[in-house]
Amino acid sequence: MERCHKIWYAFGTLALLAVSALADDVVVLTEGNFEEEVGRDRGALVEFYAPWCGHCKKLAPEYEKLGSSFKKAKTVLIGKWFPKGSLEPKKYEGPRTVEALAEFVNNEGGLNVKIAAVPSSVAVLTADNFNDIVLDENKDVLVEFYAPWCGHCKNLAPTYEKVAAAFKSEKDVVVANLDADKYKDLAEKYGVSGFPTLKFFPKGNKAGEDYDGGRDLDDFVAFINEKSGTSRDGKGQLTSKAGTVESLDALVKEFVAAGADEKKAVFSRIEEEVEKLKGSTARYGKIYLKAAKTCMVKGADYAKNEIERLQRLLEKSISPAKADEFTLKKNILSAFA
């Protein structure tokens, strides 16, 4: 029995809980809400964990799947199993897999919940699709070479999934993995001798280069942003720098300070600079031009008012694509405000 990692069950209606921060579908328990959530009108499965505990980290993806599967079961709280109406727990001593945990919760809670399939944002590589995905000259591809039995690979899995999710809206970025134990020829071809091995295959170097950075989410995100020219945070949202072009920002500064007659001359210079842009920056350049034109028509307050309007929209429930669109426009307008 690991000292840092225990699971208990309380009978009754069921809830998936953790005295920790795990996933959106796992209830996070604190001293303030423990007795409000546990020992009431539903049973509760609670994991007592420590952030530094390797076994806890290994359990995390299985526990998250369990929480997702039971989130609609109002009689269950996923967190140590405490029976309904009781603060006397029943210790869980079974295997630490989502299937075994689900069977236990179903038996104790009188339920028949099936394990939910959790969609993955990680591209799964095989011998058949490796070249098409990894060697695509239009894509920057991060590849994890892993083995199913590798403990370090299992520990990395939840973080790697978050990395993939953060960049799923970037059509030129792929976060992928390959079972190197199954596809040994590919692993040998790229010099893989230990697990997990991470290699980056940028557009300009399909021979691949070793990833030697940190293994935290922020480390991966910073690396991909630097290598691919993207501007995402760990949640997949665009940062405040997304869409901004340094050369255009300098011209916009002149544009804002210029008088009415001088603005037209500066605007012409902005047009000339936009013509030089290529790729995604060319698209951003068009937003700069449109903003400059509108500022000349609607006056100096346009940018400030439009930024406030976009911020209100961003605070609503909108699609990721719309959030990106509004964030890019807001970032660029900031140079005019």
Side-chain angles (χ1 to χ4, degrees), residues 199-245:
K199 288 184 177 287
F200 186 62
F201 297 80
K203 299 181 184 76
N205 177 19
K206 288 307 177 178
E209 55 191 64
D210 291 338
Y211 171 81
D212 295 319
R215 302 293 174 90
D216 290 333
L217 176 60
D218 289 344
D219 296 322
F220 283 112
V221 169
F223 174 83
I224 294 176
N225 281 336
E226 179 185 352
K227 293 288 187 177
S228 303
T230 50
S231 297
R232 297 280 172 185
D233 62 18
K235 295 181 179 179
Q237 298 173 340
L238 290 175
T239 70
S240 59
K241 294 182 179 179
T244 59
V245 181

Side-chain angles (χ1 to χ4, degrees), residues 266-284:
V266 180
F267 180 80
S268 296
R269 290 167 59 198
I270 294 175
E271 285 183 308
E272 291 173 5
E273 187 63 28
V274 169
E275 287 294 325
K276 300 175 186 176
L277 302 177
K278 295 180 180 180
S280 59
T281 53
R283 179 165 64 96
Y284 305 150

Side-chain angles (χ1 to χ4, degrees), residues 5 10-11 33 36 78 94 135 179 233-234 240 277 290 315 324:
H5 174 71
F11 298 100
N33 71 356
E36 293 177 7
I78 297 296
L135 304 187
D179 182 343
D233 62 18
S240 59
L277 302 177
K290 186 175 180 181
E315 290 169 358
D324 282 358

